[in-house]
Amino acid sequence: MKVSHVEGAILVGGASRRLGRDKATAEFAGVPMVQRVALALGECLERVRVVVRPGEKSPIGLPAIEDRHQVRAPLVGLCAALHACEASAVLLAATDLPELDPRVVLALVAAMPADDGPDIVAPLSPRGPEPLLAIYRPTLLQRIERQLRTNDLSLMKLLRSVDTHYLPEAALRELDPELRSLRNVNRPEDLR
């Protein structure tokens, strides 16, 4: 059974400078990365959409949400996803997480109740909080828009300034021992 109180939003509008080509359509194990992320989210969530640059279309068959600003930043994509949100919260996922495990998605969703609870649920990795695979509530919109008006594009600042529940690394490793779900692809060698 799929969850309806959290919907998915995949960020596909990044510049992909280090990879040298569009991350969303770059293939990992023969499948475009955005498709791999969409499949993992789609196993768990009733609604999954992609967040694209203004004027662009979805690189796959999923509905698209257009960014509301020209600036390229994950916080901008999150803002667009929250404006379009029709559920209690949005699970924001980067397009470059091709090994995302649906069990990790479900663990995050389980920590975000439909009604009350934290503003954000984010996993903790050895690097610290992972804001590009986290769940956000639409109640954060005013705070995010304030940050954007001051050109503060920091997702980490947002996580630190609100009620954020962190899913511990140990809990994630029970589901995904090598934390492959949190490995992102930034360079051509990462695709190998």
Side-chain angles (χ1 to χ4, degrees), residues 95-190:
T95 195
D96 63 355
L97 297 171
E99 296 180 273
L100 179 58
D101 189 319
R103 294 174 300 170
V104 170
V105 172
L106 288 174
L108 289 166
V109 169
M112 179 61 84
D115 296 322
D116 205 10
D119 298 312
I120 300 172
V121 172
L124 281 176
S125 76
R127 297 181 302 263
E130 297 286 346
L132 294 179
L133 182 64
I135 302 176
Y136 300 85
R137 290 203 188 270
T139 53
L140 295 168
L141 268 171
Q142 284 187 335
R143 182 179 295 271
I144 292 169
E145 288 172 341
R146 264 195 316 272
Q147 272 191 236
L148 291 174
R149 279 194 299 275
T150 62
N151 290 321
D152 181 351
L153 304 176
S154 172
L155 274 172
M156 295 304 285
K157 178 180 179 180
L158 179 65
L159 266 67
R160 289 190 300 265
S161 65
V162 299
D163 179 16
T164 300
H165 171 77
Y166 294 104
L167 199 61
E169 180 184 338
L172 291 172
R173 285 192 186 277
E174 287 178 17
L175 305 169
D176 183 359
E178 295 180 34
L179 298 181
R180 290 181 179 273
S181 294
L182 302 177
R183 288 186 190 163
N184 60 357
V185 173
N186 287 314
R187 298 173 306 275
E189 56 268 23
D190 296 338

